[in-house]
Amino acid sequence: MDTIASLFSFITTPVSWVIVQFHSVYGKIFGPDTGWAWGLSIVSLVILIRICLIPLFVKQIKATRAMQTLQPEMKKIQERYKNDRQRQSEEMMKLYKESGTNPLSSCLPILAQSPFFFALYHVLNGIATGKTIGVIDDQLLASARKAHIFGAPLAAKFTDSADKVAQLGATLTDVRVVTAIMIVLMSASQFYTQRQLMTKNVDTTVKTPFMQQQKMLMYVFPVMFAVFGINFPVGVLVYWLTTNVWTMGQQMYVIHNNPTPGSKAQAAYLERLYKHVTHHGKTRNRRERAIVKAIVSKGRDRNEFERKFINGLNKAGLAAQADGTVVKSESAAVAQSEDGTTTTTTTGTAPKRQQPKRQTKAQRQSGAAKPAGDATSSTSLSKSDEPQDAPPAAAKKAAPKPGNGTRSKAQSGQRKGPQRPKSPSKK
């Protein structure tokens, strides 16, 4: 570990300078020789580094989203070359190259932190051995060796001997209890961070090398921290525990507010967004408008949760627009029935057309006979010169027989069908 730390000695001076600046501030509050002053200086160093790494974290999120969009293509490659692992890997790498994505982008924050981590280890190792390093002079070195965090010296390790711990003014039991607790917390926080990423913020419907990588990291990193943690000074454990807690909180914020499409976190987020939008009747801020705009732009490519969200808005009388806003659809139509009751129908869904019921042959014949009978009362089928006070027998004889339908008998001496007009006679 000393050899690895010496490789990053070029950054040792900046790291030690930052720690000393924070120590000068906290020393005025808690005292220069206290563990609070030195411990909070290390915590502040972590926060400063993580703030500087936020652009890399944003890049990591974008790379993760790009990997999610490639999952349908990955699935096709897996099905096409399921019996040829080598060809499958070649096609996957070709797909990564064409799309400009990198499955190792999730490791960028960890790789970027490694120089600062080993530089801090080099500084604390110099404090443990009584050597000045960077901008830490003899006076600061003596103050740092007196600092204790929960009874454990800042530069003590789990594997140190009792004599070495005694030189730092502590007991071996205190050092091992404090370091063991910090190692367990460090490993547990790392495991929880990876687990919530795998169970809540990843679409597990497609098995990809990215998924296998994340699953491997979920189990490998906690074991690595537990194994190497026994050789870390207490100050380094404070550094790594703080950065794990920061990562866990940062990951929880992203999962809660900007989840991966198709994940369980997105289903929970869209459910909360649906309640807020239906309650207020609109999107409240820029982030919500961006989410709605992205969903609308997908069209038919929406996943199950996004389709459910859009359909829910339509049923609530709202319509999502292309710019991300949500507006109310046309006001509901209120129909007043004859008995005084009101029925409300949403204009978003067109009413169903009711087909007329099919009548039987007897109903059609009886319906056709009724108008024919009515017609005889107003328009007589007999000759126009027949007296109107004709006996009932004559009227009964002139009426059409039931059962003949709409067909009427032609008058005597006339042909059926339309008559041709007569030409004028020539004299």
Side-chain angles (χ1 to χ4, degrees), residues 111-403:
L111 295 176
Q113 287 184 83
S114 58
F116 302 96
F117 171 76
F118 288 112
L120 178 63
Y121 175 85
H122 199 38
V123 170
L124 295 175
N125 189 50
I127 294 173
T129 56
K131 297 179 181 179
T132 58
I133 185 170
V135 298
I136 298 179
D137 53 14
D138 293 334
Q139 183 180 358
L140 292 173
L141 178 62
S143 175
R145 288 176 66 87
K146 294 178 183 178
H148 290 65
I149 298 177
F150 300 109
L154 193 68
K157 304 176 185 178
F158 184 88
T159 56
D160 286 345
S161 62
D163 295 337
K164 187 174 182 179
V165 172
Q167 293 176 2
L168 296 173
T171 61
L172 185 61
T173 303
D174 292 340
V175 171
R176 290 190 174 179
V177 169
V178 172
T179 53
I181 293 174
M182 296 182 72
I183 290 171
V184 170
L185 292 177
M186 185 175 61
S187 300
S189 60
Q190 179 66 34
F191 178 79
Y192 180 78
T193 301
Q194 289 297 126
R195 188 176 184 275
Q196 73 173 349
L197 180 65
M198 290 293 299
T199 58
K200 296 181 180 181
N201 205 38
V202 173
D203 189 359
T204 57
T205 57
V206 181
K207 301 295 182 181
T208 62
F210 173 75
M211 296 288 298
Q212 298 298 327
Q213 174 198 359
Q214 294 296 324
K215 188 175 181 180
M216 179 185 65
L217 294 178
M218 182 174 65
Y219 294 101
V220 170
F221 275 162
V223 175
M224 290 176 58
F225 288 137
V227 172
F228 294 110
I230 59 176
N231 295 314
F232 291 161
V234 174
V236 175
L237 294 179
V238 171
Y239 172 91
W240 208 251
L241 177 60
T242 305
T243 192
N244 280 359
V245 173
W246 177 283
T247 303
M248 183 173 63
Q250 190 173 247
Q251 190 70 49
M252 291 176 66
Y253 176 82
V254 172
I255 290 175
H256 187 270
N257 296 285
N258 190 17
T260 301
S263 63
K264 294 181 180 179
Q266 189 196 30
Y269 175 79
L270 291 180
E271 185 176 356
R272 295 193 304 270
L273 181 60
Y274 170 76
K275 292 180 180 179
H276 294 162
V277 172
T278 54
H279 178 71
H280 297 281
K282 61 180 181 179
T283 51
R284 298 175 299 174
N285 49 49
R286 184 182 300 177
R287 178 171 53 83
E288 291 184 353
R289 288 193 293 270
I291 295 293
V292 175
K293 180 179 179 180
I295 294 175
V296 173
S297 62
K298 288 184 178 180
R300 295 184 178 181
D301 295 333
R302 302 185 188 113
N303 56 45
E304 177 184 359
F305 309 124
E306 295 166 347
R307 288 194 297 268
K308 183 178 179 181
F309 173 74
I310 296 297
N311 293 335
L313 292 180
N314 293 335
K315 292 180 180 179
L318 301 173
Q321 305 300 311
D323 59 352
T325 58
V326 175
V327 298
K328 293 182 179 180
S329 58
E330 297 179 3
S331 58
V334 180
Q336 186 80 17
S337 59
E338 294 181 359
D339 56 355
T341 60
T342 58
T343 57
T344 304
T345 57
T346 305
T347 57
T349 56
K352 296 182 178 179
R353 296 180 59 185
Q354 296 182 355
Q355 298 292 339
K357 295 182 179 180
R358 187 174 182 180
Q359 297 179 348
T360 60
K361 184 176 181 180
Q363 291 175 344
R364 291 195 300 270
Q365 291 176 353
S366 62
K370 185 176 180 180
D374 295 339
T376 56
S377 60
S378 58
T379 304
S380 177
L381 296 178
S382 59
K383 293 182 180 181
S384 60
D385 57 352
E386 187 175 354
Q388 295 182 358
D389 56 349
K396 183 176 181 182
K397 183 177 181 181
K401 294 182 179 180

Side-chain angles (χ1 to χ4, degrees), residues 3-45:
T3 304
I4 297 177
S6 62
L7 295 176
F8 296 93
S9 59
F10 67 94
I11 203 173
T12 300
T13 300
V15 169
S16 61
W17 182 83
V18 173
I19 293 177
V20 168
Q21 298 305 313
F22 282 120
H23 175 262
S24 64
V25 175
Y26 294 119
K28 296 178 181 179
I29 302 174
F30 303 101
D33 299 336
T34 59
W36 286 103
W38 287 100
L40 290 176
S41 299
I42 296 174
V43 172
S44 300
L45 173 67

